[in-house]
């Protein structure tokens, strides 16, 4: 491949918008509490979803046309219902991904995931000292490296997710070399988003346009070096690409569109909310809450009452990012997520 894929996929989705994905955060429980965590997960987090509720949401999403289930968190390997949820998704013919912090090295645990996970996505922040600092644990990298033996022994396809920051972006070539040497099939580069704990603890660590441009060039070199063995996906969008593909950014569409056509990514959060496009999206745009209504019943009401407001928001972001004054490169997910909290929508569309 000559250039990296640069489409608005989301953390854990591991694919372009065309892969209609239900991203699930079944619990915010995590053994770590990283400063850059967009979901504010940690050891003391208590929110967790009943696996039966999650399985029902997967069934409803499948009936709506969704084909991919992506489990994130919190740390999914600490969620007791993980295998049941994945098994249910596979029974419906869906593809599955799981995003883990790589701290678990148990061979038996990974062996049980064989056949249930299509891609295991492992978070990797840089060389050992950088990874340990970001993860806030002196053994984080050593555990990740050791755990790869168990992942390979189980025959699981795996990739890495790298969070791009202002301070650590220069380590990307090292990350790519390490990922390729370990046999990863995918490297996803996701710019730090100012949400969750990152907003309070890493307020100045976001990558600016200058850094995104440098990373883009790095991406071309990395794709040229490793692209035949490892897919490189960058969650960065180029202005011309935004301009030419309004549909990929939900800036147009018709009222009769199927759920995946109208909205390629649904996010099930640990409190039962289903929101569009990214974790932490403003609740005024929620599809529903599973504790109140199943997804299959919430969708038609969302489509008729809230989708027009969401479409207007996406159109405004598309105008901004694709316009002549728009940034050359941007993180569409962060922009649209941030705008969702500031955007004014008519009361009639939020009732
Ligand atoms: S970033 Fe991942 S590993 Fe770190 S606290 Fe959040 S969920 Fe846990």
């Amino acid at each position: 491949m000559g250039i990296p894929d640069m489409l608005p996929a989301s953390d854990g989705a591991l694919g372009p918008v065309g892969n209609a994905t239900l991203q699930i955060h079944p619990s915010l429980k995590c053994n770590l509490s990283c400063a850059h965590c967009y979901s504010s997960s940690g050891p003391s987090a208590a929110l967790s979803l009943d696996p039966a509720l999650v399985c029902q949401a997967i069934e409803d999403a499948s009936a709506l046309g969704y084909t991919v289930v992506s489990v994130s968190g919190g740390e999914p390997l600490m969620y007791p219902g993980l295998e049941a949820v994945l098994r249910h998704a596979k029974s419906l013919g869906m593809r599955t991904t799981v995003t883990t912090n790589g701290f678990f090295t148990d061979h038996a645990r990974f062996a049980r995931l064989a056949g249930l996970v299509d891609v295991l996505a492992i978070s990797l922040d840089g060389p050992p000292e950088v990874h340990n600092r970001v993860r806030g644990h002196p053994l984080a990298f050593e555990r990740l490296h050791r755990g790869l033996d168990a992942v390979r022994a189980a025959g699981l396809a795996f990739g890495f997710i790298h969070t791009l920051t202002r301070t650590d972006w220069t380590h990307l070539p090292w990350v790519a070399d390490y990922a390729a040497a370990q046999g990863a099939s995918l490297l996803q580069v996701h710019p730090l988003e100012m949400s969750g704990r990152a907003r309070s603890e890493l307020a100045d660590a976001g990558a600016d346009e200058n850094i995104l441009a440098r990373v883009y060039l790095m991406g071309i070199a990395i794709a040229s070096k490793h692209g035949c063995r490892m897919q490189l996906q960058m969650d960065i969008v180029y202005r011309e690409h935004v301009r030419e593909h309004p549909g990929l950014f939900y800036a147009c569409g018709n009222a009769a569109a199927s759920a995946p056509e109208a909205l390629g990514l649904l996010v099930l959060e640990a409190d039962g909310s289903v929101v569009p496009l990214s974790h932490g999206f403003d609740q005024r745009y929620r599809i529903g809450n599973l504790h109140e209504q199943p997804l299959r019943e919430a969708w038609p009401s969302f489509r008729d009452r809230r989708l027009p407001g969401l479409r207007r928001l996406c159109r405004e972001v598309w105008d901004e990012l694709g316009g002549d004054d728009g940034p050359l490169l941007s993180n569409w997910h962060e922009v649209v997520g941030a705008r969702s909290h500031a955007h004014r929508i008519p009361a009639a569309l939020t009732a």
Side-chain angles (χ1 to χ4, degrees):
M1 130 170 76
I3 59 170
D5 291 338
M6 293 176 55
L7 291 169
S10 177
D11 186 23
L14 301 176
V17 163
N19 293 329
T21 299
L22 175 65
Q23 185 185 93
I24 301 173
H25 300 257
S27 161
L28 298 186
K29 193 90 176 163
C30 186
N31 55 314
L32 302 177
S33 49
C34 311
H36 70 300
C37 185
Y38 66 74
S39 62
S40 299
S41 299
S44 59
L47 275 179
S48 184
L49 289 171
D50 183 336
L53 200 67
V54 178
C55 287
Q56 185 59 58
I58 291 171
E59 211 163 308
D60 290 353
S62 174
L64 285 169
Y66 283 80
T67 56
V68 181
V69 163
S70 174
V71 186
S72 188
E75 171 50 59
L77 297 185
M78 294 175 73
Y79 178 59
L82 179 64
E83 287 163 39
V85 162
L86 293 170
R87 193 168 293 113
H88 195 64
K90 292 313 272 182
S91 75
L92 296 166
M94 300 175 89
R95 289 186 294 126
T96 56
T97 73
V98 171
T99 302
T100 175
N101 60 30
F103 208 81
F104 297 92
T105 58
D106 179 0
H107 280 247
R109 186 190 300 253
F110 288 114
R112 288 197 300 274
L113 294 180
L116 300 179
V117 182
D118 292 299
V119 181
L120 185 73
I122 304 166
S123 301
L124 174 63
D125 304 302
E129 66 281 7
V130 175
H131 186 79
N132 292 346
R133 167 171 51 77
V134 173
R135 296 285 145 182
H137 196 291
L139 298 178
F141 184 86
E142 185 187 323
R143 300 275 305 222
L144 179 154
H145 188 73
R146 192 145 41 97
L148 289 175
D149 287 337
V151 172
R152 284 185 289 254
L156 293 171
F158 66 95
F160 290 98
I161 295 183
H162 177 67
T163 300
L164 195 73
T165 66
R166 181 189 293 270
T167 40
D168 296 324
W169 65 275
T170 52
H171 299 297
L172 182 56
W174 184 93
V175 168
D177 286 347
Y178 178 80
Q182 296 303 313
S185 59
L186 173 91
L187 173 59
Q188 181 176 353
V189 179
H190 190 73
L192 176 71
E193 292 187 18
M194 284 304 150
S195 58
R197 201 177 291 126
R199 194 183 301 139
S200 55
E201 298 197 17
L202 292 175
D204 296 326
D208 60 19
E209 195 183 344
N210 182 293
I211 291 175
L212 293 185
R214 292 168 187 233
V215 167
Y216 176 66
L217 293 175
M218 273 183 184
I220 293 174
I222 290 169
S224 150
K225 185 175 180 184
H226 298 299
C228 55
R229 282 166 292 145
M230 180 177 75
Q231 182 191 354
L232 175 64
Q233 181 189 309
M234 292 200 175
D235 296 344
I236 301 170
V237 289
Y238 181 44
R239 185 173 59 200
E240 295 304 317
H241 185 80
V242 175
R243 194 176 288 169
E244 288 168 11
H245 302 284
L248 281 178
F249 302 90
Y250 309 107
C252 60
N254 64 66
S258 69
E261 286 167 343
L263 208 53
L265 179 65
L266 298 181
V267 182
L268 170 55
E269 302 193 342
D271 66 355
S273 302
V274 181
V275 296
L277 304 181
S278 63
H279 187 279
F281 213 80
D282 195 293
Q283 288 282 319
R284 292 175 301 170
Y285 298 93
R286 72 185 180 280
I287 285 85
N289 188 302
L290 300 188
H291 294 300
E292 298 164 5
Q293 194 180 30
L295 179 57
R296 65 179 177 281
E297 291 175 14
W299 176 262
S301 161
F302 164 82
R303 184 192 55 212
D304 297 341
R305 301 172 80 167
R306 293 198 171 104
L307 184 58
L310 178 64
R311 191 86 77 208
R312 191 176 315 170
L313 166 68
C314 291
R315 180 80 194 190
E316 286 178 15
V317 172
W318 180 77
D319 281 342
E320 180 184 329
L321 298 186
D324 291 340
D325 296 331
L328 199 58
L329 295 153
S330 60
N331 177 3
W332 177 81
H333 270 99
E334 174 164 38
V335 176
V336 78
R339 292 290 188 285
S340 76
H341 295 281
H343 192 242
R344 289 190 183 173
I345 49 179
L349 295 178
T350 61

